[in-house]
Structures are given as structure tokens and as C-alpha cells.
Amino acid sequence: MGRDGQSIRFVKPAFRRSVGQPWASVSSAMRDHAWLALRINSLVRVFITTALFIMNITVFPPRDHPLLCYTIMWSYAAVNVLPLVVRWDRVTPFAASLVPVILDLVVITTVLTLSGGFPKDTSNYITLFDDLYFLVPILAAFQLYPSVTAFAGVASVAVYISAAVAAAPAPDWVYLITHAVFIAMSSLCCVVFSSLQRSRVTTIAALVQQRSVLLGRVISLEEDERRKISEVLHDGALQSVLAAKLDAEEISQAEPGEDIAGHVTRLESALADAARQLRYSVTELHPDQVELAGLERALRAMFEEGAARGGFEVDLSCEVAGPTPIDELIFRAAGEFLSNTVKHAKAKHVTVRLELTALRARLEVTDDGVGIASGVLASRAAEGHIGVSSQRVRVEGMGGSFSLENVAPHGTRAVIELPVPAS
């Protein structure tokens, strides 16, 4: 159970990550996998050592120094037990993959040299230890470092041949070279396997990380939509309702015979204006508006209502081939541009151009207002107003482009272009 900040801590003897703990980054995914592979490999090494000891005792006893060979084997098994119960947080994934390879080669070669296990005459030669060189690159392949796996293969072949030549002045070269070639071929397969597995793990980790980012963006977009609804109702219909309330109070408090025609007229006008603004808000926010009325009619209704509220003229041109899967996205983006124009642009004229084919869409909204001061979008996004930013995320997420710029002599142009996906 260790403490935070310590480099060594005890871990549960489990070999599976806890469900519901997404990776924070690709590097953390590689670190998790490195420790998982190290612990599984350590358990495999303990089993192999135990099996070899039993077989050496019963079938293939060492020719020389049996006690020393068994001592090395069990010391090696004890070392491999440590990763099963202890985790060194400062150990890098690369070190976790490279160090066991070196240790494997040292132990195998030492035991073979001490026991006289290298082949001199294969006619009556039976051993198991030299076959362990095959396992070195195989175990290294699970660590997802192709370079370490390649090193394990090359080192296994080189150490095997060097140790066999040194231990036997006249080795059986046919057996020796054949064995080395098979080790090399196995190592090559392990390198390919390691590369493939590394690609899969990094891809999955990157997707999990992107999922977390997208989830955060979705939450921000939902909050922005709620804020937008609140602002629309507060700045529009609510003000008209409050004005109507004042006129209603004036009417209710009027003396008998007092002229209240002006109050009634203002009351009717305020209520009509509130109804109009609520109708506009429903039109803008209703998810089925585009589907029911069509994109062109929905845009015209929205911009005509916005022009009435903002006091500007609208020149709208639509070339729409037919319904597409991105109609709703275009409508939302146009609504955001219109909302900003009404609130901030102080424009006299707005031009809207929509070209929508079966393959590509282009929406351009240009006004002759005050333009966008430098840093305004960034400051508004920092304050929580992420309407424009949310539209940029949506458009770019669909593989499109988004631009918002000032135009000469004054005004703003917003343009989105994006491909039309298949229905």
C-alpha cells in the first residue's frame, strides 16, 4: 500500500487495468502496458524456471556444477517475483523492457556455460537450456518496443554463438548455425508482432484521449446552449413582458375616466413583440425546424426575424440541391452568425450566400457593421461565451473549414465550407 511520492509501492497481484480509469495520455498508456507486460513476463519466467528445475532433476540433470546452476535458477526466479508484488514508479517503460532482456541472456548463458550444456556432439546430445534463447525475443515482444525486441534477437544469436564457441573448441557447426538461424527468424517475427501491437495500443490510447477531449467539448457546448437560451429569453421576450407588466399596472391603477388608450396600445405592442421574439427563439432552437420547413425556408424565416430585431436589411441567396445530413449544422452556424450580428455588429445591410450541392457546402454571411476588434473572440471565449468557438469545433469536426474576418472598409465576413457526407 505505499504512499504518494514514493518510488516503490506494493500493488495488488492483478494483471488487468481497473475499468473506468481512462488513460490521461499515450505515454501513460505505454507505462501501464509496460508494467502489465513486465508482471506477466515475470510470472511466465517463474513458471519456466520451476518447470526446468523439475525436468533437470528428473530427466536432464546438468553435467557440471548442478548445485550452482540450481542456485542461479532460483535466484533468478526470486528476482522475477518482485515485479508481481512491488512497483517502481520511476522505472521507465523502456527500462522495464530492456533490463529483463539483459538479465535473461546473462542467466541463460551463465547456466549453460557452467553446466556444460553447449553442444559438442549432437548425436547423443539432448538439452533444454539452449532452446531458452528462443524465449528471449518472444518475451521482449510483449513490451511493445520493436527496437528492444530486435536487440533481444540480435543479442540472443550473438551471445549464443559466442558462448558456444568459447565453451566448445570444436562445436557442432551444423547444429549451432541451424539453431542460430531459427532464433533469428523467430526474432524477426517477434519484431513485426511488437510493431503491430505497439501501433494498436497507441491508436487505442489516442482514441481514448480524444474521447475525453470531445466529452469535455460536448459538456461545454451543452452549457453554452443553455446560456444562449437564457440570454435570448432575458434580452428579448423577458424585456417585452416586463414592459407589458408596467403598462398593465398603469392600467389597473388608472382613475375612472382617465385616458388609458396609450397604455393599452403599448401593452398590446409589448405583448406582440414578446410573442414575436418567442416565436423566433422557438424557430431557432427547435431541432426539427429545418427538417419540417427545409433549410432555405428556415434560413429565410430566421434572417427576416433577425433583420426585424436588428434593424438591418437582408439579401439572402440560396442554391440548395436538396436535403443533406449537414443541413442542421449549417442552420446552427448561420443562427450563431445572425445572433452576433444582431447583438454586436450595428449593421445596416447583411448578405447571406449559401451554395449547397450533393458534395460540398459553402455558407457566407457578410455585414457592414463595426467589425471585430482584435482579441474580442478570445476574451469572450474566456468569459464563457463560446458560441463561435463551438461552431468552429462542429465544422472542423466534420472535416470543414471555418473563417471569421474583418472586411474593408468595415464589417465582418463569416465563411464555412465543409464536405457533404453520404446520407
Side-chain angles (χ1 to χ4, degrees):
M1 305 316 147
R3 303 174 186 172
D4 293 339
Q6 291 183 335
S7 60
I8 300 176
R9 57 188 173 91
F10 292 100
V11 296
K12 296 180 180 179
F15 298 102
R16 185 168 59 90
R17 294 180 69 254
S18 298
V19 177
Q21 298 178 2
W23 287 305
S25 64
V26 176
S27 59
S28 64
M30 295 302 296
R31 178 176 289 275
D32 274 2
H33 185 92
W35 268 104
L36 176 64
L38 177 61
R39 297 172 71 191
I40 292 177
N41 286 348
S42 296
L43 184 62
V44 171
R45 289 182 176 97
V46 172
F47 286 154
I48 291 175
T49 303
T50 304
L52 283 176
F53 175 76
I54 296 174
M55 297 181 75
N56 286 158
I57 289 293
T58 58
V59 182
F60 308 114
R63 299 174 183 172
D64 306 312
H65 309 95
L67 183 59
L68 181 57
C69 291
Y70 294 148
T71 301
I72 294 174
M73 290 170 59
W74 286 115
S75 299
Y76 172 71
V79 169
N80 280 287
V81 170
L82 290 178
L84 302 179
V85 294
V86 179
R87 173 166 176 163
W88 289 266
D89 288 334
R90 294 181 182 177
V91 175
T92 63
F94 187 81
S97 62
L98 182 60
V99 173
V101 170
I102 298 174
L103 182 62
D104 290 344
L105 291 174
V106 170
V107 171
I108 294 172
T109 305
T110 301
V111 172
L112 272 171
T113 302
L114 290 175
S115 63
F118 286 105
K120 296 180 181 179
D121 180 9
T122 56
S123 60
N124 58 358
Y125 174 75
I126 300 177
T127 186
L128 292 175
F129 276 98
D130 59 342
D131 292 329
L132 294 179
Y133 284 104
F134 283 98
L135 295 178
V136 176
I138 292 175
L139 293 177
F142 286 91
Q143 284 287 7
L144 306 186
Y145 282 92
S147 58
V148 174
T149 306
F151 167 79
V154 173
S156 296
V157 173
V159 171
Y160 172 68
I161 294 177
S162 300
V165 171
D172 187 325
W173 285 104
V174 174
Y175 177 88
L176 192 66
I177 298 301
T178 302
H179 216 63
V181 168
F182 274 100
I183 295 175
M185 289 191 297
S186 300
S187 301
L188 179 60
C189 294
C190 291
V191 171
V192 175
F193 169 78
S194 182
S195 300
L196 179 61
Q197 290 297 101
R198 181 182 179 88
S199 175
R200 288 176 176 173
V201 171
T202 52
T203 300
I204 293 172
L207 290 175
V208 171
Q209 187 178 9
Q210 292 175 12
R211 174 183 173 274
S212 300
V213 173
L214 291 175
L215 179 60
R217 289 180 178 178
V218 168
I219 294 174
S220 298
L221 291 176
E222 290 177 349
E223 293 175 351
D224 180 63
E225 292 293 340
R226 289 193 292 268
R227 187 183 298 110
K228 182 178 179 180
I229 295 173
S230 175
E231 291 177 354
V232 168
L233 295 178
H234 179 272
D235 298 339
L238 180 60
Q239 302 303 317
S240 298
V241 170
L242 291 176
K245 178 176 179 293
L246 293 176
D247 286 316
E249 290 176 352
E250 292 289 342
I251 294 173
S252 64
Q253 296 172 3
E255 298 293 336
E258 183 179 345
D259 184 12
I260 59 173
H263 293 300
V264 173
T265 301
R266 287 194 299 271
L267 174 62
E268 292 176 346
S269 176
L271 290 176
D273 188 57
R276 178 178 57 82
Q277 294 184 62
L278 286 173
R279 189 180 299 110
Y280 167 78
S281 299
V282 171
T283 300
E284 184 181 13
L285 297 173
H286 197 286
D288 295 331
Q289 181 64 29
V290 174
E291 183 178 352
L292 294 175
L295 179 58
E296 183 176 357
R297 290 181 59 187
L299 284 177
R300 289 190 181 278
M302 181 174 65
F303 273 93
E304 288 173 0
E305 183 69 25
R309 291 191 299 120
F312 53 78
E313 296 180 354
V314 173
D315 177 14
L316 189 145
S317 172
C318 293
E319 297 180 11
V320 180
T324 68
I326 59 172
D327 287 357
E328 185 69 29
L329 176 60
I330 294 173
F331 183 76
R332 294 296 184 194
E336 184 62 37
F337 299 152
L338 174 62
S339 177
N340 287 331
T341 301
V342 172
K343 292 180 180 178
H344 311 295
K346 301 179 181 179
K348 298 299 182 182
H349 188 82
V350 175
T351 302
V352 183
R353 297 287 182 266
L354 172 63
E355 298 176 5
L356 179 58
T357 67
L359 299 177
R360 195 158 189 84
R362 186 180 192 275
L363 173 67
E364 178 180 325
V365 180
T366 307
D367 66 65
D368 60 355
V370 298
I372 305 174
S374 177
V376 168
L377 291 179
S379 62
R380 286 183 59 80
E383 294 170 358
H385 303 280
I386 59 173
V388 174
S389 299
S390 67
Q391 298 305 323
R392 182 188 299 274
V393 169
R394 288 188 175 108
V395 170
E396 293 180 351
M398 292 289 292
S401 62
F402 180 105
S403 64
L404 187 64
E405 59 186 6
N406 290 326
V407 295
H410 49 75
T412 306
R413 178 186 294 116
V415 180
I416 63 171
E417 295 185 74
L418 64 164
V420 177
S423 301

